[in-house]
C-alpha cells in the first residue's frame, strides 16, 4: 500500500528501467501521467513514435484506439493499456457494418477513417488520418469525393479546407467533449474574460466555434501555434488537459482552457497507480486478432507514406 504519490512515481521509474518499458501518453492525460511519460504527443506523433519504439514493453496512457494502434504497429512487443475501459465514444460510431454498407452504396469512393476508430474498422479502410494529417492526405488522394468517418465535424472541416466532397460516415458521429463542451457560449465567456487572447480550436469542435477560431489544428499543432503566434494569451478550444501541457512547454505565455469543464473522462481514467500495476503485472495487455493487426499496419503505413 503506497502512502505517497511520489512513491508511486518513483516505483514507476524504477520498474520502467528494469523492464525496458516506455510510457507513451496523449496530450490530454493527467499532469502527473504526462510528467512520468517518456513521450507525450498527439495521435500522429504517438503513431510515429510507436513505429520506432526501442523497448520491450509499451505502456499506453491514452484511450483504447490509441493502445490498439500501438499494438498493431508492434506485433512483437508487449503493449499494456492500464485501463481498458478507457474508450473513445467517438470511435464507436464507425462500426464495421456501417463501413461495409457505405462501401456498397459508394463503390470506388475511397474510405478514409479518422484515427479515432476501432481497429476492426481501420482494417476495412483505405487510409487512416489524424486531425493533423486529414486535410493534406485527403488532398493527396486526388479524388473528387471520399467517405470519411466517424467525426462529422472533422469531415466538415476537411470539406471546407479542400473543396473535396466528404461523405460523413455516419452523418452524426461526434466527440461528446468537443460537441457539447467546446461550445459557442463558453467561447463568448472566455473571450469576455480574455479579450486579447487568440482562439485555438480542435477540428472536432462544432462549426460555429471553428468559424471564430484564429487557428484550427490537432492538439500538438495547437501547442505549436502557442509557440509560434505573435501573441501572449491563448484560449484552448479543446479538452482541458492540453492547457497544462501548453503552460509547461511555454511558461512565458498565458493559456486558458475555453471551458475548464471540458474533460474527457476516458482519458482521465489512466492514473499513475494503474500504470504502476500494469508494469508490475504486465496486464492488461492489448491483444489484437493477427489479420486485423496486419491490415491496420498496412493501412497506417500506406497513409504515413502518403504524407512523406
Ligand atoms: P489529436 O490527434 O489532435 O491529439 O486528437 C485526439 C483526440 O482524441 C481529440 O479529441
Ligand atoms: Fe474521444 Fe473526445 Fe475523448 Fe478525444 S476527447 S478521446 S475524441 S471522447
Amino acid at each position: 500500500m503506497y502512502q505517497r504519490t511520489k512513491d508511486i512515481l518513483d516505483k514507476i521509474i524504477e520498474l520502467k528501467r528494469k523492464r525496458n518499458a516506455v510510457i507513451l501518453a496523449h496530450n490530454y492525460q493527467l499532469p502527473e501521467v504526462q510528467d512520468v511519460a517518456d513521450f507525450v504527443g498527439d495521435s500522429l506523433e504517438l503513431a510515429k513514435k510507436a513505429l520506432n519504439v526501442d523497448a520491450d514493453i509499451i505502456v499506453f496512457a491514452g484511450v483504447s484506439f490509441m493502445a490498439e494502434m500501438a499494438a498493431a504497429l508492434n506485433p512483437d512487443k508487449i503493449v499494456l493499456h492500464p485501463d481498458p475501459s478507457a474508450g473513445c465514444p467517438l470511435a464507436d460510431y464507425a462500426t464495421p457494418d456501417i463501413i461495409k454498407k457505405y462501401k456498397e452504396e459508394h463503390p470506388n469512393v475511397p474510405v478514409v477513417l479518422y484515427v479515432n476508430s476501432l481497429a476492426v474498422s481501420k482494417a476495412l479502410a483505405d487510409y487512416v488520418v489524424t486531425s493533423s494529417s486529414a486535410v493534406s492526405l485527403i488532398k493527396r488522394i486526388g479524388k473528387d469525393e471520399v467517405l470519411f468517418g466517424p467525426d462529422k465535424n472533422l469531415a466538415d472541416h476537411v470539406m471546407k479546407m479542400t473543396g473535396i466532397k466528404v461523405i460523413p460516415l455516419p452523418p452524426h458521429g461526434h466527440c461528446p467533449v468537443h460537441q457539447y463542451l467546446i461550445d459557442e457560449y463558453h467561447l463568448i465567456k472566455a473571450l469576455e474574460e480574455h479579450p486579447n487572447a487568440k482562439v485555438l480550436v480542435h477540428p472536432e469542435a462544432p462549426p460555429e466555434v471553428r468559424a471564430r477560431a484564429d487557428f484550427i489544428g490537432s492538439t500538438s499543432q495547437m501547442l505549436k501555434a502557442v509557440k509560434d503566434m505573435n501573441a501572449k494569451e491563448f484560449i484552448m478550444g479543446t479538452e482541458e488537459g492540453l492547457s497544462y501541457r501548453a503552460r509547461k512547454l511555454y511558461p512565458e505565455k498565458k493559456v486558458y482552457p475555453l471551458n475548464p469543464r471540458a474533460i474527457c473522462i476516458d482519458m482521465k481514467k489512466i492514473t499513475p497507480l494503474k500504470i504502476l500495476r500494469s508494469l508490475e503485472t504486465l496486464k492488461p495487455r492489448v491483444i489484437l486478432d493477427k489479420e486485423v493487426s496486419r491490415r491496420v499496419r498496412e493501412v497506417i503505413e500506406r497513409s504515413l507514406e502518403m504524407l512523406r
Side-chain angles (χ1 to χ4, degrees), residues 65 88-95 98-99 102 111-118 121-122 127-129 147-156 166-175 179 204:
F65 76 81
C88 167
L90 167 60
D92 297 337
Y93 279 104
T95 61
I98 289 178
I99 298 173
Y102 272 72
V111 176
V112 184
L113 272 200
Y114 188 26
V115 67
N116 296 43
S117 53
L118 310 168
S121 301
K122 284 191 183 81
Y127 301 97
V128 169
V129 296
L147 289 162
F148 180 82
D151 190 59
K152 64 171 181 176
N153 289 317
L154 183 56
D156 175 64
V166 179
I167 303 166
L169 166 177
H172 52 282
H174 64 271
C175 157
Q179 181 69 36
E204 288 174 18

Side-chain angles (χ1 to χ4, degrees), residues 26 28 62-63 65-66 87-91 114 116 151 174-178 202 204 238-239 263-267:
H26 185 263
Y28 295 158
V63 291
F65 76 81
M66 297 176 174
C88 167
L90 167 60
Y114 188 26
N116 296 43
D151 190 59
H174 64 271
C175 157
V177 179
H178 287 83
H202 196 276
E204 288 174 18
T238 191
E239 209 268 352
I263 294 170
C264 175
I265 48 166
D266 285 284
M267 283 282 182

